[in-house]
């Protein structure tokens, strides 16, 4: 199963990134982990090919440097249990981030606003639907939380009622959106599935794939800015301080984030190092006679 | 399945490009058609870890920025 965290969303996320990059903070990080969420099954790096090549050696496998084969090999070591229909549902820490990510991935966002009791029921009842082969991987999903999401209506056009299952189309910059479909929280799975598929078909017909460079250029012209939980910028020397000026950063931002100035401070090869827990700071090498370990 | 493979390849090649330091001008559009199934991401560590434990499946962990220079709506 796959998890992708927003690097700038919280200090907690940045601690995880640092734990995978030997104390550095960079925009992207990768690792394969065992189901316990702690044991590392691969090397680490800014990308899957970096992390998995650490174990496999470069130049092997298919055009993706053998990443797919390496992942399949790891997956085969575990016997999956439970049913796919019972899969826990996706959620975001906030509607705001959910809308941004839905915009970035160009998927519709299913936003569930329900009372506490209904939310618990829906958290189980919607599992089957969200694992449906016609649905899975086509949407993002978020459950409204009281505190961070209290202002969600300010960002969205077309919503009615206090509760419901809202199918929302994010705007180009993921800071506002519009409701394409709205269903009651007691809608049947069939009603929901039909509404989701219909909305997705309509979305696919009218949404043009973003060209990254053009999107960023348009955002600069329009002075778009998304205030994240953490300041933008990277700490490539791992000294705990963001390396460059505030307000810049993010993926591909200027020479600081866009150019690698020499190799990173961390390890670039060899087997995975230990089983450090995500979020746990890296250990300093221990000095011993004749070298370090 | 084909779409999913295309998606993974784009992630891997994109990730490698990131490692080499792309500028926004270097990055184009995702090869995956809008509306097709991609990766079913978990987007909080809590839900991901709970699902991994429930299903005994290994975790593909990624962290990435959903902004570029503070400009939102990109991943």
């Amino acid at each position: 199963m796959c998890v992708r965290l927003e690097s700038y969303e919280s200090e907690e996320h940045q601690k995880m990134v640092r734990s995978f990059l030997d104390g550095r903070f960079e925009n992207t990080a990768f690792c394969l982990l065992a189901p316990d969420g702690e044991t590392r099954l691969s090397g680490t790096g800014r990308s899957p090919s970096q992390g998995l090549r650490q174990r496999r050696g470069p130049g092997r496998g298919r055009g993706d440097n053998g990443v797919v084969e390496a992942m399949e090999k790891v997956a085969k070591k575990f016997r999956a249990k439970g049913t796919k229909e019972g899969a826990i549902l996706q959620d975001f820490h906030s509607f705001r981030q959910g809308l941004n990510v839905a915009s970035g991935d160009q998927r519709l966002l299913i936003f569930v606003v329900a009372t506490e009791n209904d939310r618990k029921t829906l958290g189980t009842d919607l599992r089957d639907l969200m694992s449906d082969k016609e649905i899975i991987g086509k949407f993002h999903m978020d459950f409204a939380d009281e505190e961070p999401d209290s202002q969600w209506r300010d960002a969205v056009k077309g919503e009615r009622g206090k509760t419901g299952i809202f199918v929302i189309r994010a705007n180009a910059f993921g800071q506002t959106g519009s409701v394409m479909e709205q269903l009651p929280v007691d809608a049947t799975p069939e009603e929901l599935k039909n509404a989701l598929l219909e909305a997705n078909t309509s979305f696919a017909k009218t949404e043009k794939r973003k060209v990254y460079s053009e999107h960023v250029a348009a955002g600069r012209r329009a002075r778009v800015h998304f205030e994240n939980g953490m300041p933008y910028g990277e700490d490539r020397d791992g000294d705990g301080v963001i390396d460059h000026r505030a307000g810049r950063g993010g993926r591909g931002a200027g020479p600081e984030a866009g150019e690698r100035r020499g190799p990173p401070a961390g390890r670039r090869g060899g087997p995975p190092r230990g089983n450090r827990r995500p979020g746990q700071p890296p250990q300093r090498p221990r000095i011993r006679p004749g070298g370090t370990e | 399945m084909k779409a999913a493979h295309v998606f993974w390849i784009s992630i891997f090649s994109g990730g490698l490009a990131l490692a080499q330091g792309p500028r926004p001008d270097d990055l184009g559009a995702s090869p995956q058609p809008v509306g097709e199934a991609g990766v079913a991401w978990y987007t909080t560590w809590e839900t991901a870890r709970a699902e991994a434990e429930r299903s005994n499946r290994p975790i593909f962990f990624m962290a990435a920025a959903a902004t570029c220079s503070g400009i939102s709506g990109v991943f």
Side-chain angles (χ1 to χ4, degrees):
Chain A
M1 48 79 54
C2 304
V3 57
R4 185 182 59 186
L5 304 182
E6 216 293 344
S7 308
Y8 290 91
E9 186 169 14
S10 66
E11 189 174 1
E12 198 63 33
H13 288 186
Q14 296 208 344
K15 280 181 183 171
M16 290 183 79
V17 170
R18 286 183 186 276
S19 76
F20 291 125
L21 298 181
D22 293 330
R24 305 186 314 277
F25 174 75
E26 302 185 25
N27 291 340
T28 60
F30 161 82
C31 189
L32 289 183
L33 299 162
D36 64 11
E38 295 178 8
T39 309
R40 292 184 181 182
L41 303 174
S42 74
T44 58
R46 291 196 65 166
S47 67
S49 44
Q50 274 190 357
L52 289 162
R53 273 191 308 179
Q54 286 181 3
R55 299 194 89 178
R56 291 177 53 83
R60 296 169 65 181
R62 295 196 290 251
D64 48 26
N65 288 321
V67 167
V68 173
E69 290 103 320
M71 285 173 57
E72 285 168 347
K73 203 172 169 184
V74 168
K76 280 179 185 165
K77 292 179 183 167
F78 296 89
R79 178 176 287 186
K81 63 181 186 184
T83 61
K84 70 178 177 59
E85 293 81 9
I88 289 167
L89 295 173
Q90 178 194 12
D91 197 9
F92 283 90
H93 291 296
S94 70
F95 171 76
R96 193 168 166 271
Q97 196 64 264
L99 198 62
N100 180 30
V101 169
S103 174
D105 285 338
Q106 294 187 275
R107 293 186 196 178
L108 296 176
L109 175 67
I110 303 168
F111 187 53
V112 180
V113 185
T115 62
E116 192 59 35
N117 278 345
D118 283 341
R119 177 181 168 146
K120 278 183 189 161
T121 307
L122 288 165
T124 305
D125 289 356
L126 292 177
R127 291 183 181 190
D128 195 16
L129 173 66
M130 296 312 295
S131 299
D132 187 292
K133 64 182 180 187
E134 292 184 80
I135 300 292
I136 191 167
K138 292 182 179 174
F139 300 86
H140 282 297
M141 183 171 220
D142 183 32
F143 285 79
D145 294 304
E146 208 164 289
E147 181 50 36
D149 300 336
S150 59
Q151 305 298 314
W152 75 273
R153 288 169 200 279
D154 295 347
V156 171
K157 287 190 300 189
E159 96 292 355
R160 303 175 308 277
K162 288 186 176 177
T163 61
I165 299 170
F166 300 87
V167 184
I168 296 173
R169 178 179 188 155
N171 81 340
F173 294 104
Q175 299 190 27
T176 60
S178 55
V179 174
M180 290 185 74
E181 295 281 350
Q182 179 177 342
L183 292 109
V185 292
D186 59 356
T188 66
E190 292 74 26
E191 288 170 331
L192 276 170
K193 183 176 175 179
N194 289 337
L196 290 175
L197 291 177
E198 197 175 309
N200 193 50
T201 300
S202 168
F203 177 64
K205 283 180 184 168
T206 53
E207 177 86 356
K208 190 183 167 202
R209 261 290 175 222
K210 291 176 189 175
V211 176
Y212 192 101
S213 56
E214 293 173 6
H215 178 82
V216 172
R220 284 185 177 142
R221 284 194 300 273
R223 297 183 179 276
V224 170
H225 183 77
F226 185 84
E227 195 65 39
N228 234 322
M230 299 297 288
Y232 293 115
E234 296 185 312
D235 170 23
R236 292 191 174 196
D237 54 11
D239 65 356
V241 179
I242 296 300
D243 293 336
H244 54 84
R245 62 192 182 277
R248 302 285 292 176
R251 189 166 61 181
E256 296 87 350
E259 293 176 356
R260 180 171 295 288
R261 293 165 295 184
R267 189 169 50 92
R268 298 286 290 168
R273 181 186 293 171
N275 294 330
R276 190 193 311 145
R277 297 177 59 179
Q280 186 180 346
Q283 293 176 338
R284 296 281 180 202
R286 282 185 287 167
I287 306 297
R288 63 178 183 179
T292 59
E293 62 178 14
Chain B
M1 187 65 192
K2 187 184 170 190
H5 189 73
V6 167
F7 194 83
W8 282 116
I9 296 293
S10 68
I11 284 181
F12 301 145
S13 55
L16 186 61
L18 283 174
Q20 293 166 345
R23 291 169 180 277
D25 290 351
D26 300 331
L27 298 169
S30 164
Q32 189 185 33
V34 174
E36 284 197 5
V39 177
W41 294 109
Y42 283 90
T43 39
T44 67
W45 179 242
E46 296 76 19
T47 51
R49 185 160 176 180
E51 174 56 17
E53 285 181 350
R54 184 200 72 87
S55 63
N56 195 43
R57 286 184 297 161
I59 300 169
F60 176 101
F61 174 92
M62 273 209 83
T67 54
C68 175
S69 303
I71 296 162
S72 46
V74 284
F75 228 143

